[in-house]
Amino acid sequence: MTIYDKTTFIEKGAFYGCSGFDGSLTLPNNLSYIDEESFYQCSGFKGSLILHDSLTSIKKNAFSGCSGFDGTLTLSTNLENIGEEAFYQCSGFTGSLTIYDVVETIEKGAFSGCSKLNDELALSQSLITIGEKAFYQCSSLTGSLEIPDFVTTIGKSAFSGCSGFDGTLTLSINLTYIEEETFYQCNGFTGSLIIFENITSIRKGAFGKCSGFNGELSLSKNLIYIDSGAFYQCSGFINSLTIPDGVKIIAEYSFSGCSGLNGT
């Protein structure tokens, strides 16, 4: 399907459930806005999807369930907002994913289930918020992951199940807590992990089963609370572990299975 260049706006549900399309989707060069559920469950589209640089906003569920795309996803360099579940279960997209520097918010479930993206993820350096399950089960993403320093909030299970990352994890210096299961089963991360000093709380299962880390674990000096299973089965961490003096609660199984830790 080709939508011609005079179109600047696609309204809510315009092609909702049009699952019979079985070719490519070509969007107009002048498109600035894709509203909620515009292409919801259009599961037959194939090939790559290019969102041209005129586009500034993608709303909730815009391409949710478009599982037939089997090429790359190219986002607009001027995209400001990626709505809730915008690309939910677009399970066929391949290649890398670049989120350009205008984006400040990636909403809940935006790329959840995009399981065949199989190269590196580059996040916007202007990013402030990564929503709950934003990249949940994006299990084929590779390389290192850098959370930009403007990020203050990462939602629950944002990267849970992203088992394909095979480089280092660098956290934002401005995070104040790590939410539940944020990096659960990201078992490919390697190297050391630094929990920076603004972080006061690491919540349930935040790094559970991240068994690939093979360097040291350095905890924030301002840490107060380590929730249950926070580092459960992180068996690769080595050397000694220092629990900061301000920690008041170490919950059950926080470091259970961290068999590589040794020393005093």
Side-chain angles (χ1 to χ4, degrees):
M1 180 172 72
T2 298
I3 302 174
Y4 290 101
D5 283 347
K6 289 185 179 180
T7 303
T8 59
F9 187 100
I10 299 176
E11 293 193 357
K12 181 177 180 179
F15 298 96
Y16 184 109
C18 293
S19 57
F21 289 117
D22 57 3
S24 61
L25 172 62
T26 302
L27 297 174
N29 288 319
N30 295 315
L31 188 64
S32 62
Y33 187 94
I34 300 175
D35 206 350
E36 293 183 15
E37 300 181 340
S38 293
F39 298 96
Y40 182 81
Q41 293 289 350
C42 292
S43 56
F45 286 127
K46 293 180 173 60
S48 297
L49 178 63
I50 298 173
L51 304 177
H52 297 289
D53 288 347
S54 57
L55 190 68
T56 59
S57 183
I58 303 172
K59 294 300 183 182
K60 180 178 178 180
N61 292 120
F63 294 94
S64 182
C66 292
S67 56
F69 287 116
D70 53 6
T72 57
L73 171 61
T74 303
L75 300 178
S76 163
T77 59
N78 294 307
L79 194 60
E80 297 172 359
N81 175 263
I82 302 173
E84 183 176 327
E85 297 186 351
F87 298 96
Y88 176 74
Q89 291 293 340
C90 290
S91 55
F93 284 127
T94 62
S96 62
L97 179 63
T98 299
I99 298 171
Y100 293 98
D101 287 348
V102 180
V103 174
E104 294 184 353
T105 301
I106 302 171
E107 295 190 16
K108 177 181 176 180
F111 297 95
S112 180
C114 292
S115 57
K116 291 186 180 177
L117 290 170
N118 60 356
D119 206 329
E120 296 189 355
L121 172 64
L123 296 174
S124 162
Q125 294 300 306
S126 301
L127 199 58
I128 297 171
T129 302
I130 301 172
E132 179 179 328
K133 293 188 174 181
F135 297 95
Y136 179 77
Q137 293 291 342
C138 290
S139 55
S140 298
L141 288 168
T142 63
S144 297
L145 177 63
E146 178 185 350
I147 307 297
D149 282 342
F150 283 114
V151 173
T152 58
T153 303
I154 304 176
K156 180 179 177 180
S157 300
F159 295 93
S160 180
C162 292
S163 55
F165 287 119
D166 54 5
T168 57
L169 171 62
T170 304
L171 299 175
S172 164
I173 61 174
N174 287 309
L175 285 172
T176 57
Y177 63 94
I178 309 291
E179 185 57 277
E180 289 186 19
E181 298 187 347
T182 300
F183 299 99
Y184 183 74
Q185 287 191 332
C186 292
N187 54 23
F189 284 128
T190 60
S192 297
L193 177 63
I194 299 173
I195 309 294
F196 291 110
E197 294 189 9
N198 283 330
I199 291 175
T200 59
S201 173
I202 301 173
R203 297 181 181 173
K204 181 179 179 181
F207 297 95
K209 297 189 177 181
C210 290
S211 56
F213 288 115
N214 55 6
E216 296 185 350
L217 172 60
S218 176
L219 297 178
S220 162
K221 293 178 182 178
N222 296 308
L223 198 59
I224 296 171
Y225 181 48
I226 304 172
D227 205 348
S228 59
F231 297 96
Y232 176 72
Q233 290 191 0
C234 291
S235 56
F237 285 126
I238 60 171
N239 297 335
S240 60
L241 176 66
T242 300
I243 305 294
D245 291 342
V247 172
K248 295 180 179 179
I249 298 174
I250 302 174
E252 64 270 22
Y253 302 107
S254 294
F255 297 96
S256 176
C258 293
S259 56
L261 293 173
N262 55 59
T264 58

